[in-house]
Amino acid sequence: MSLKGKKIILGVSGSIAAYKAALIVRGLVKAGAEVRVLMTKAAADFISPLTLATLSKHEVTTSVHDGESWNNHVELGLWADAMLVAPATATTLGKMANGICDSAIVAVYLSARCPVFFAPAMDLDMWAHPATRRNVELLQSYGNHLIDVGTGELASGLSGAGRLAEPEDIIKILADFLAQPLGKGTPLPVKASNTGTGMSTKADLTGTGVSSPAKQDLKGKTLLITAGPTYEDLDPVRYLGNRSTGRMGIALAEAAAARGASVNLVLGPTELTTTAEGVTLHNVRSAREMHAISVIKWPKADAAILAAAVADYRPSRTEAGKIKKKEGPMTVKLVRNPDIAAELGQDKRPHQRLVGFALETENGLENARGKLKRKNLDFIVLNSPNDKGAAFGHTTNKIQLVTGNKVTAFELKSKDDVADDILDALVKVL
Ligand code: C5P
């Protein structure tokens, strides 16, 4: 894991988890990054600026002006390769989401042209509150990257979701993200997007009908499931995407949870969602965001099912303003996205199982077998939009399960039933 030569701004806001900022600074510096720390006044009550100044080897900024001089937040915002706000309190999230610029963190955030990551930390009821949810969704809809909270014991004595992600996971997410080749001078993130999924009306897929209790053959297992499309932003209002709805992956997550699994569902932008018990939902937008969460969750998973339709390419740059039309044709340069399946396949340990999907319009079996091998999958779910009622946009699907030398064909069924067929096959190899 290297952050050699990367310039990182760390914004620390006033949570009890602020003491972990010392571990984050130390980890970033150890990985080779140059770090500048910004703190809110409240954060300085939890951890001394001197500690963070010593670890980062640079003065810490606590306000835009200190009575005698003005700290140039625009310069700092342009200097950085990435900005990380960790811990991000409910207050700081709210101010960032709404542009309330009364701290050095928000001033630099509003000027930054680099990717911005935020790792919240707060009590479980604050984290669950609709105001916080809305602010998180707003921040994501502007193109910022959420580093999701962990679950466990909280400072209040309560237990639940709201813990700051582990410092080493935070650093790994940054390192993985910045290691992806970017187009020259890529000005991320996209600010003021109106295409964000955050504020969309979501149709809940859960609670549709009464069913008999499921068998508990995945009890004690942890599953990672990717689902939905990814959107690759061209500018604040346009993106490259695909027609995946995420329905198949959501059905898999719900069926696996009903069978006793603990599921991390990494879901691309779609109108559909789930509130099923046992499913931890990670909403993402781009392939790089999906990749960042997936590589973090994979080491602790027993199996992953990669049902997402991940964009293979993204624009080499995301314009900060809406692209204007000109006379004549225009060319958009695309660069490769990470192949999540291939990466997880490479890091697969002997006890782990990896399942992929192949959507093929021609030479299905041959292509599926190629992917199986290339990505080190245990089996692959092959489907074709040529089959009536199958693949994108349908509530039904018709699949073939392909292993090295065996092919099992299934009839057209509801995606819920297809999910159970896939999980039956997984249970056999787990
Ligand atoms: O190569 P292809 O996109 O056809 O492979 C499909 C499988 O690989 C699916 O399981 C899909 O979720 C996964 N995939 C991925 N990351 C990519 C591309 C595909 O995880 N960048």
Side-chain angles (χ1 to χ4, degrees), residues 9-339:
I9 299 168
L10 173 65
V12 183
S13 58
S15 145
I16 180 69
Y19 78 91
K20 291 189 183 165
L23 300 174
I24 297 174
V25 176
R26 201 183 58 177
L28 290 171
V29 170
K30 223 168 134 190
E34 209 181 312
V35 184
R36 298 284 192 281
V37 180
L38 311 170
M39 295 175 89
T40 60
K41 294 213 163 63
D45 291 334
F46 288 99
I47 180 165
S48 142
L50 185 61
T51 305
L52 300 183
T54 310
L55 289 169
S56 68
K57 304 188 186 75
H58 285 282
E59 227 172 276
V60 166
T61 308
T62 47
S63 72
V64 177
H65 54 84
D66 58 15
E68 284 164 19
S69 61
W70 178 72
N71 292 310
N72 192 334
H73 56 88
V74 177
E75 216 166 73
L76 200 54
L78 296 180
W79 166 84
D81 294 307
M83 179 174 186
L84 165 68
V85 183
T89 58
T91 306
T92 292
L93 286 183
K95 288 180 181 173
M96 286 167 68
N98 295 286
I100 300 168
C101 187
D102 67 350
S103 71
I105 294 179
V106 183
V108 172
Y109 161 69
L110 292 174
S111 312
R113 293 214 187 147
C114 56
V116 177
F117 295 77
F118 60 104
M122 62 196 76
D123 208 49
L124 80 166
D125 294 311
M126 293 169 82
W127 178 242
H129 196 281
T132 309
R133 312 261 28 100
R134 183 175 164 276
N135 287 332
V136 167
E137 288 188 348
L138 268 176
L139 283 171
Q140 287 182 296
S141 76
Y142 304 152
N144 301 304
H145 306 282
L146 167 68
I147 301 179
D148 214 352
V149 296
T151 303
E153 211 175 291
L154 301 165
S156 61
L158 297 173
S159 187
R163 281 168 66 89
L164 179 70
E166 292 305 324
E168 63 267 34
D169 287 347
I170 294 176
I171 293 162
K172 188 165 187 317
I173 286 177
L174 274 186
D176 280 348
F177 188 94
L178 293 175
Q180 301 302 327
L182 283 173
K184 222 171 147 213
T186 305
L188 283 169
V190 182
K191 302 268 185 180
S193 161
N194 64 5
T195 57
T197 53
M199 305 305 289
S200 60
T201 324
K202 292 181 173 175
D204 198 331
L205 277 189
T206 57
T208 49
V210 183
S211 54
S212 51
K215 47 192 168 192
Q216 292 296 294
D217 52 1
L218 284 168
K219 203 162 180 58
K221 301 288 182 200
T222 301
L223 257 55
L224 164 68
I225 297 179
T226 65
T230 64
Y231 286 178
E232 311 298 325
D233 290 323
L234 279 157
D235 71 13
V237 292
R238 305 179 181 101
Y239 57 85
L240 300 177
N242 62 65
R243 290 169 220 255
S244 168
T245 59
R247 191 180 293 275
M248 188 67 247
I250 293 173
L252 276 163
E254 292 184 345
R259 289 165 74 153
S262 160
V263 180
N264 279 301
L265 174 63
V266 187
L267 181 62
T270 166
E271 296 292 299
L272 304 179
T273 189
T274 178
T275 53
E277 206 178 314
V279 178
T280 305
L281 184 63
H282 306 272
N283 285 115
V284 295
R285 179 172 174 83
S286 65
R288 285 192 295 169
E289 284 180 31
M290 186 171 275
H291 170 263
I293 303 277
S294 302
V295 295
I296 291 295
K297 298 296 174 191
W298 179 226
K300 289 197 183 120
D302 296 292
I305 307 178
L306 307 174
V310 186
D312 292 321
Y313 296 90
R314 66 175 183 277
S316 68
R317 40 183 297 139
T318 303
E319 300 298 336
K322 190 176 163 205
I323 300 167
K324 294 265 178 292
K325 64 173 160 292
K326 293 193 194 111
E327 288 303 316
M330 99 171 248
T331 307
V332 177
K333 185 176 168 208
L334 302 177
V335 293
R336 279 295 298 265
N337 267 331
D339 189 322

